[in-house]
Amino acid sequence: GENVEQHPSTLSVQEGDSAVIKCTYSDSASNYFPWYKQELGKRPQLIIDIRSNVGEKKDQRIAVTLNKTAKHFSLHITETQPEDSAVYFCAAPLGVDTGRRALTFGSGTRLQVQP
Amino acid sequence: SAVISQKPSRDICQRGTSLTIQCQVDSQVTMMFWYRQQPGQSLTLIATANQGSEATYESGFVIDKFPISRPNLTFSTLTVSNMSPEDSSIYLCSVATYNEQFFGPGTRLTVL
């Protein structure tokens, strides 16, 4: 099955700076890579995703890039704001070849945006 | 996106007892999943709840400990049986629409 590794585990930036979180995956057949934001005491919220037929996707201050050759994908947050402070999780399908649509998650990155 | 609710939102239970968590979705969905999130940790898939058949469990999770029901396409339950303090976690149900997956608000379980 798929294995996802995520780095860094914590990230502290100044307000207005950019933040980058990276994930690697093991299954070359994986075709869908979502990112979730989890605020303290809340459920994980899907913030952006990318499918394997594109290399980059943007949504306002958030972007995700995908390098299929290297099997890694990254979350980029520009012009960070204090409300971006949360734990971010990357994920990938547990088993594309077996049609399993459940997700396996990275270990999470705690982002702190200092005002 | 689907609207997902869970009951209870939190509970404190004694070891050796069982708790059943309910998950309700506002639309029919084929795929429903149960995840566990231990304190300060990532999400781990417990099982896939299949409508009309037995759930599919991940390695490390067994039906006797985490029995699951899926009587229809909008509802599922997860029971945490014979609880121990190690079962203290947040339990989240999730549904998949096409490839996107959305989570319920979670049930925060504390076992004393």
Side-chain angles (χ1 to χ4, degrees), chain B residues 49-55 70:
Chain B
N50 303 307
Q51 196 268 331
S53 65
E54 283 196 359
R70 179 87 195 272

Side-chain angles (χ1 to χ4, degrees), chain B residues 10-23:
Chain B
R10 60 178 62 227
D11 207 342
I12 301 173
C13 301
Q14 297 297 318
R15 68 172 67 209
T17 62
S18 298
L19 176 72
T20 295
I21 303 167
Q22 298 179 5
C23 179

Side-chain angles (χ1 to χ4, degrees), chain A residues 9-81:
Chain A
S9 57
T10 61
L11 181 59
S12 182
V13 299
Q14 292 293 317
E15 183 177 358
D17 287 350
S18 296
V20 181
I21 303 170
K22 299 181 180 180
C23 288
T24 60
Y25 61 98
S26 60
D27 187 354
S28 58
S30 284
N31 56 6
Y32 175 67
F33 306 94
W35 285 90
Y36 288 84
K37 175 184 180 181
Q38 187 175 33
E39 297 177 77
L40 190 63
K42 302 285 184 63
R43 74 186 82 188
Q45 296 274 13
L46 177 67
I47 57 172
I48 196 167
D49 57 18
I50 191 167
R51 303 185 193 279
S52 58
N53 58 342
V54 297
E56 184 176 6
K57 182 178 178 180
K58 288 184 179 179
D59 183 2
Q60 300 182 340
R61 297 186 297 109
I62 295 174
V64 55
T65 58
L66 172 64
N67 183 326
K68 289 189 291 183
T69 303
K71 290 191 285 189
H72 67 70
F73 57 110
S74 300
L75 178 70
H76 305 253
I77 305 174
T78 59
E79 301 174 20
T80 53
Q81 301 168 3

